[in-house]
Structure formats: C-alpha cells, structure tokens
Amino acid sequence: RFRKLKERFVEKFGEPPLFYACAPGRVNLIGEHIDYCGYAVLPMAIEQSILAAVSVNDTQSIQLANVNPQYKDFAVSSEELQIDRTNPQWYYYYLCGVRGVKEHLGLAPLAGMKCVVDGTVPPSSGLSSSSALVCCAGLVTLEANNKMLSKVELAEICARCERYIGTEGGGMDQSISFLAEEGTAKLIEFNPLRAVDVKLPDGAVFVIANCCVEMNKAATSHFNIRVVECRLAAKLLAKRRGLDWSCVQRLSEVQAALGASLEEMLTMVQEVLHPEPYSREEVCQTLGVSLEQLRDGVLSANTQHVTHFKLHQRAQHVYSEAARVLRFREVCEAAPDDSIRQLGLLMQQSHTSCRDLYECSCPELDQLVRTCLKAGAVGSRLTGAGWGGCTVSMVPVDKLEAFLQEVRKSYYTSDPRRAALEKHSLFVTKPGGGAALFLEA
C-alpha cells in the first residue's frame, strides 16, 4: 500500500513524498451517541485506515489528490482555508484538520503541502472515515510545520475542528484514532480526556458488517437534531431541579451537579420529562425564553427547522447506554465464565435502545442485526451514528466460519447490489493501533 501510494504521488507531483501519515478508522463496541453528552464510550481502532503521502514546500498552497478517482483533486491557499458546511466534500474534512492545528498553534505562514490520500475505511459506513481523515490531516500539518503535540492534545483539537464542517460530535472518533493501541479496546472518558485499556474476552471475535446504506452525518440534520434534543433535555432537567440551566450543555453535567447515580437519573427522566414530543413553544415556555433565544442559543445551523423534540426518549437512551458501557467494562475486567453471553446481551440492549428510543437505526440495519443473531452472534448492534452503515457482532470463535457463510447467504448474495459490495462489507476485526507518522525511506 505504501509502495502504490508512493507511485501515485510521484506520478501526480513528479517528486517523491517526504513522509507518510496514517490514522485508523474505529468500531464502537458499545456507547452510541453519548460522547457528546459527556459519557464514556468503548471503541477500538480497526485495520482500515486513511494513509497520506506528503511533501512540503514554501508555496503556501495545499494541493490534495485522492487515489480513488471518484474524489476530485483540490488546491487552496494555506491562508484561505474556507470550509463549506453545505457541501461536505472529502477535501473539506482534510482542511478541518489543517485549520484546527493552524489555529491552535497560531501558525503563520503555514507550510505548503502536496498530499495524496488513500483510504480503506468504507465511506459513510459508521466506521469514522471522515474523522480518520481529519486526524490524518492534523498529524500531517503538525509534521509539515515541525511542531510537536501530545496525542491527547491532537485528539482534542481534531474533535473540535471537525465541527467546522457542521457536525457537533463528542470526540470519541478522534480520541480512539490517536490513542488506540494494538490488542486492546479502550474506555474513552472525557473532561479530561483519557483512555483506559479494556481487555476483551478470549473465545469470541468481533465481526463488522455493512448494511450497504450510506449515511453521511454532515449531509443531513439527523445527527445534530439528536445533539440538540439531548441539550434541551439537560436544560429542562436542570431547571426542574433548581440548577442554573442556562450554562448546562450536557446530560452528564446534570448528573454531576446533582451527585446522582445513572439509575437515579433514569428515574428523574420518568418523573420530569413527558414521553410526548415537546413543541418549540413548550420548550420556550418551560425555560422562559423567546423563540429567537432558542434558535440563537440552543439550535444549530441545520436544526433551525425542527418544530418538535423527543426529550424523554433521548435522555432515557443516554443514561441507560452510559450504564451499559460501565457494565461492559466491569464484565471484561471480572471475566466471569459467562462473560461472552453477558456482553452479547448488553450489545443487544444497546441496539434496542438505539432503534426504539434514539431512533437512529434503519430497516436494513435492523434486518442485518436479526440476520447476525440468527447466524450465531451472541450480540449484534448498529455502530457509529446509525441511519445506515455498519453493525458490529460478537461471535464465538468456534462459530465464526458458519456465521460468515450464513450472513453472506442471507444478507448479501440474495441482493445483487449488496453482493457486489460484500467483499468490502463483511470482515473480522481485532483491536488495532493508533495514528502514526512514517518518514520516507
């Protein structure tokens, strides 16, 4: 892969690259849509990655190319790093990483770069191809300008700067891309950011399967609507408990301020938030704000059109999912005889919550989860943002081959379009390492 990328670089720019940067994609084993609420998640990096070949110059321009011909070349002045939120092209994700490092370090002038990118993370699949590209670009910018930052600092910068393209994520994807280590999953905690090893049980493997429905979270408002609903739920809970709700942004902040357990927060959700959707008018009346204040202070640019919010369901998912993450880690640490069964059950509960309470699944994902469970998985769930993309399934090692054959037959080969994509849609994965730099030999 390095050799082919070098050949493409020389072919494109007429010179060899100076160095390479690599940032992996990730699969989230459990803990969906809770990082931006302040809660810990449990992902691992995967083998699929973004790889970039780079040379440096003093032209103050950035020239980008992609080995995949469907992605167009792009060139821009390093002083004019404008990112079009309405048009989430691949090169804008790259510019997010460049701009984030540039602004954090106050780099002026910024070194000129020529870069060719090769990606093996399936796009719009819930495996963080976009975040891996942002992280890779951040790492490239650091090296090209002879600067040093810790992996934690880089992860935090890349989590913030991906928001330039409009997605209000929480930092899981960037954190695991930088902090992952081979052979272990990670419990990623926030405020402050840290990663703790989680040893997965022997006797089972994780299989990723793509439902073949693409979902680009920056191209729709689905993701940011959930972020806003969680923000509103936190504010309403805080107000009802006498807290200063105006500065509350995350559901975890309400729990911390009250010193309550997750179980107590779930009880509070039942007591305080009604299951029926809240209208904008009801939210404004409850908080004592005008519609203009709601739009300016809470809603994001692509959620201004939303008229109703399901606050009860979203908060119930977040608090219960946060508890499942902690229980998943406890089972891995205690390693009881039935740990595989217990972890599988937690994964199934997670998918049910994502499907019914958070409503971020889709018919194809639900079908694929059912197929994987029927084929021998002890647990299966959507992974990533949802509304398309991939499932992750926990499969006993002795059932792996039969599982793969059955999923191929039942989900992929029965559909011509899926059959054509199957080679890149179904694979066994194990914990991989994090982002890295390689000098050209």
Side-chain angles (χ1 to χ4, degrees):
R1 191 173 167 204
F2 276 96
R3 185 169 59 251
K4 290 180 179 178
L5 183 57
K6 179 178 180 179
E7 290 171 357
R8 288 296 299 271
F9 190 96
V10 172
E11 178 185 319
K12 181 71 181 177
F13 295 119
E15 62 184 30
L18 179 65
F19 65 90
Y20 303 85
C22 179
R26 65 97 188 97
V27 60
N28 190 25
L29 302 181
I30 196 163
E32 222 60 75
H33 285 281
I34 63 173
D35 57 338
Y36 53 77
C37 295
Y39 285 108
V41 291
L42 213 156
M44 64 184 187
I46 57 177
E47 180 182 1
Q48 287 74 11
S49 64
I50 299 294
L51 184 63
V54 186
S55 68
V56 182
N57 55 64
D58 58 4
T59 64
Q60 293 187 307
S61 68
I62 298 173
Q63 295 176 261
L64 302 175
N66 199 303
V67 299
N68 188 332
Q70 79 179 72
Y71 298 121
K72 297 178 181 178
D73 292 0
F74 184 76
V76 66
S77 165
S78 60
E79 301 304 308
E80 300 176 6
L81 302 178
Q82 299 301 314
I83 295 164
D84 185 356
R85 290 187 172 197
T86 66
N87 183 29
Q89 298 294 325
W90 77 274
Y91 41 80
Y92 287 134
Y93 287 98
Y94 191 97
L95 293 188
C96 282
V98 177
R99 181 173 157 186
V101 171
K102 176 187 177 183
E103 292 182 353
H104 180 79
L105 294 176
L107 298 175
L110 192 68
M113 291 180 274
K114 296 177 182 177
C115 178
V116 179
V117 172
D118 172 45
T120 55
V121 188
S124 303
S125 65
L127 300 178
S128 291
S129 59
S130 56
S131 295
L133 182 56
V134 173
C135 291
C136 190
L139 194 58
V140 163
T141 306
L142 204 65
E143 177 67 14
N145 289 274
N146 296 310
K147 300 295 182 181
M148 290 284 289
L149 290 171
S150 71
K151 288 186 175 184
V152 168
E153 288 176 296
L154 261 178
E156 292 177 329
I157 291 167
C158 290
R160 290 194 301 269
C161 70
E162 191 166 334
R163 295 169 193 165
Y164 293 143
I165 208 159
T167 302
E168 296 192 48
M172 169 180 62
D173 303 348
Q174 301 82 3
S175 299
I176 191 63
S177 191
F178 281 113
L179 303 179
E181 294 179 86
E182 191 170 354
T184 182
K186 294 280 187 177
L187 182 80
I188 305 287
E189 299 175 288
F190 304 95
N191 305 312
L193 175 62
R194 67 190 189 109
V196 180
D197 289 356
V198 176
K199 185 182 184 303
L200 300 171
D202 297 327
V205 294
F206 289 93
V207 180
I208 296 171
N210 195 335
C211 79
C212 301
V213 174
E214 290 194 356
M215 197 284 172
N216 184 334
K217 61 188 179 186
T220 73
S221 59
H222 300 324
F223 188 93
N224 281 359
I225 288 173
R226 298 304 185 274
V227 176
V228 165
E229 287 176 318
C230 291
R231 188 179 299 151
L232 285 172
K235 290 181 180 295
L236 264 66
L237 287 170
K239 183 174 176 63
R240 284 291 298 271
R241 288 298 182 261
L243 303 175
D244 180 7
W245 62 267
S246 62
C247 62
V248 169
Q249 297 292 322
R250 299 181 180 91
L251 286 163
S252 61
E253 294 169 6
V254 183
Q255 182 192 1
L258 295 173
S261 67
L262 287 167
E263 290 73 19
E264 289 169 331
M265 294 307 301
L266 283 166
T267 300
M268 191 184 305
V269 169
Q270 300 297 329
E271 294 172 350
V272 173
L273 301 176
H274 57 67
E276 298 77 26
Y278 286 73
S279 67
R280 284 187 297 192
E281 292 73 21
E282 183 179 5
V283 169
C284 290
Q285 183 179 7
T286 303
L287 295 179
V289 299
S290 67
L291 184 57
E292 184 178 10
Q293 287 173 316
L294 178 71
R295 287 172 171 163
D296 294 343
V298 181
L299 302 185
S300 55
N302 66 345
T303 60
Q304 297 288 320
H305 65 286
V306 182
T307 60
H308 288 80
F309 308 93
K310 293 186 177 182
L311 308 187
H312 177 279
Q313 294 87 339
R314 308 319 185 216
Q316 188 178 347
H317 166 77
V318 169
Y319 288 131
S320 62
E321 185 78 346
R324 281 187 287 271
V325 170
L326 299 181
R327 180 58 186 158
F328 196 100
R329 179 195 181 188
E330 289 171 1
V331 173
C332 288
E333 289 180 341
D337 291 340
D338 67 340
S339 59
I340 293 174
R341 182 194 65 81
Q342 289 191 45
L343 297 178
L345 180 60
L346 289 167
M347 293 175 70
Q348 289 172 234
Q349 292 170 348
S350 174
H351 182 77
T352 299
S353 184
C354 286
R355 181 192 67 206
D356 298 342
L357 295 176
Y358 224 69
E359 297 179 279
C360 61
S361 189
C362 67
E364 293 82 359
L365 277 171
D366 295 337
Q367 178 190 352
L368 185 51
V369 164
R370 291 193 299 270
T371 298
C372 290
L373 292 172
K374 186 177 179 181
V378 294
S380 185
R381 58 179 298 277
L382 68 84
T383 186
W387 298 287
C390 289
T391 63
V392 57
S393 301
M394 192 176 190
V395 183
V397 172
D398 58 359
K399 294 184 178 180
L400 178 60
E401 288 307 316
F403 171 86
L404 294 172
Q405 289 180 20
E406 179 60 30
V407 174
R408 285 191 182 104
K409 182 180 73 172
S410 299
Y411 191 80
Y412 293 104
T413 59
S414 60
D415 181 291
R417 178 178 169 274
R418 294 175 187 166
L421 299 171
E422 186 265 325
K423 181 180 178 182
H424 303 290
S425 297
L426 181 66
F427 51 89
V428 183
T429 190
K430 57 185 178 180
L437 284 165
F438 306 90
L439 297 180
E440 169 64 9

